[in-house]
């Protein structure tokens, strides 16, 4: 029995639940057949809707410069002046899965309107106080968090700080960001608001598919599997369990979220929220500095394209949809505001085995990630801050709050609001400015509105208001308790708050004393 037939048989023995698509934050149970099965002939035929929308030179330029720098997909294609034919395997025998005619000098038709570009949204009428009116945004907080954090390999304990779960941090940013975007008129679809899988599945639902992946397609298992299964043989029972857990929390979860959006919403842009970390975080180690990076889609590896038909189809769809210009524009605007707010240098990926520098902006690189691959249309993956940098870590475990607080010796805003503000300001730059744009007459509150901070480089005086009560208690989102901050950090913060005013008063008194002494000596010399 061939691999394709065996795989279909294995998947079809699973429980076949029905799809249910309620509101954006409600759970539904995904169908493992639809989630993990390779694309069927009808899925490949969807490429033919792009007939006549791009020329051969445009196709090859996008392929080489963004999506397939190694040329790994060419054995599956026949590219001619008139069309590109896509085949199921390298032999290219039989009929192609799809054939897409190219545009010519005499004939080009517009591409199907899958999303609106920034110019289209800027040209639409909008209330002056709602500069993002009409913009449709998917906010997808990456990872799951909560009890699933260790399973998805997104939980780490840091000495003196406790356990930090990235999924919980991403959720908190998403909630703050959603409120801010909606206040400015955007329509927001939040993929999930609680730390639970969108798919509705459990690891035991995926034991058989996991075994099939291990036997036939191990290279396509999520990276988290290899991190967790080091030293275990493929046949070890624990190996299959880890494979099922990582398939569920990575591959299945990404596809389930995209499928849910696909049935309920039609976004102009999808924002995937993440936090970065250095390799030292795997052992609970600390980063020595801080950097930011922002991903657009592209840079498929040869393994991904040669071994996975699902990824081949996704790549060709993204290429023909031409998502790159919108992704690059939005990513660069968001990156600019993160630089303005944080001053951090970029993570210097450049051109590597898994990334491609396509915009000339070192902060923005193309990379094939699960969520920016699975979601339709333009997707920007936002990955600022090194979570394991000490100041960032302290800010993360402190939780969300209004105004500013003394953290690590300085007055700082909530890191979750700083993150959300940079994203909103980037979207305002990309989508929000109208020809008659003006500010509202009534000043907005400093914690929710951004219209008075369209080009910030520092906190305004009005934001220097200290509020000791977090808006969202951190213990609801993270394991660490903000009231149980490590003793040494409490002492450091207390000493800083107490000593700094004394030092400033002392300096002032010393300056006053020197001034009086100088005046006294001058008078004394004049009397002589």
């Amino acid at each position: 029995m061939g691999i394709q037939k065996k795989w279909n048989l294995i998947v079809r023995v699973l429980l076949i639940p029905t799809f249910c698509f309620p509101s954006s934050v409600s759970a539904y149970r995904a169908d493992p057949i639809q989630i993990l099965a390779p694309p069927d002939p009808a899925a490949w035929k969807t490429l033919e809707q792009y007939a006549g929308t791009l020329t051969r030179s445009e196709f090859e330029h996008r392929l080489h410069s963004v999506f397939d720098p190694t040329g790994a997909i060419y054995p599956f294609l026949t590219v001619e002046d008139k069309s590109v034919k896509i085949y199921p395997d390298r032999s290219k025998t039989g009929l192609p899965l799809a054939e897409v005619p190219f545009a010519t000098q005499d004939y080009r038709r517009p591409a199907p309107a899958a999303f609106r570009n920034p110019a289209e949204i800027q040209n639409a009428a909008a209330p002056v106080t709602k500069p993002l009116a009409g913009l449709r945004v998917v906010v997808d907080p990456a990872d799951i968090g909560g009890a699933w954090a260790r399973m998805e390999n997104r939980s780490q304990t840091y000495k003196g700080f406790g356990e930090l779960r990235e999924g919980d941090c991403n959720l908190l940013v998403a909630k703050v960001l959603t409120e801010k975007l909606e206040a400015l008129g955007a329509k927001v679809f939040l993929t999930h608001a609680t730390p639970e899988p969108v798919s509705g599945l459990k690891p035991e639902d995926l034991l058989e598919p996991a075994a099939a992946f291990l036997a036939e397609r191990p290279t396509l298992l999520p990276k988290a599997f290899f991190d967790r299964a080091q030293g275990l043989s493929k046949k070890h029972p624990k190996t299959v369990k880890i494979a099922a857990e990582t398939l569920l929390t990575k591959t299945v979860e990404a596809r389930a979220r995209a499928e849910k959006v696909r049935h309920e919403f039609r976004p102009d842009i999808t924002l995937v929220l993440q936090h970065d970390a250095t390799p030292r975080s795997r052992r609970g180690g600390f980063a020595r500095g801080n950097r930011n990076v922002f991903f657009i889609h592209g840079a498929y590896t040869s393994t991904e394209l040669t071994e996975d038909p699902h990824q081949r189809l996704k790549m060709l769809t993204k290429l023909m949809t031409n998502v790159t210009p919108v992704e690059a524009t939005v990513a660069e605007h968001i990156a600019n505001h993160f630089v303005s707010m944080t001053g951090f240098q970029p993570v210097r990926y450049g051109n590597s085995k898994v990334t491609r520098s396509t915009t000339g902006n070192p902060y923005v690189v193309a990379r094939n990630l699960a969520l920016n691959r699975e979601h339709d249309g333009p997707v920007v993956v936002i990955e600022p801050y090194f979570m394991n940098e000490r100041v960032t870590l302290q800010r993360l475990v402190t939780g969300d709050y209004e105004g500013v607080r003394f953290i690590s010796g300085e007055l700082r805003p909530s890191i979750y609001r700083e993150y959300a503000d940079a994203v909103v300001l980037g979207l305002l730059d990309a989508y929000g400015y109208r020809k008659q744009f003006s500010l509202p007459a009534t000043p907005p509150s400093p914690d929710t509105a951004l219209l008075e901070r369209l080009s910030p480089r520092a906190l305004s005086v009005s934001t220097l208001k200290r509020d000791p009560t977090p808006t969202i208690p951190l213990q609801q989102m993270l394991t660490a308790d903000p009231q149980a901050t490590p003793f040494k950090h409490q002492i450091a913060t207390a000493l800083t708050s107490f000593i700094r005013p004394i030092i400033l008063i002392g300096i002032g008194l010393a300056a006053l004393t020197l001034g009086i002494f100088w005046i006294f000596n001058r008078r004394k010399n004049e009397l002589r």
Side-chain angles (χ1 to χ4, degrees), residues 160-179:
F161 295 91
E163 183 183 10
L164 187 69
R165 301 165 176 170
E166 183 183 350
D168 295 341
C169 297
N170 298 338
L171 273 172
L172 190 44
V173 174
K175 290 182 178 181
V176 175
L177 176 60
T178 297
E179 291 177 3

Side-chain angles (χ1 to χ4, degrees), residues 113-133:
F115 54 87
R116 295 172 297 167
N117 62 45
E120 292 178 273
I121 293 170
Q122 287 178 343
N123 290 333
V128 69
T129 57
K130 302 286 185 180
L132 295 180

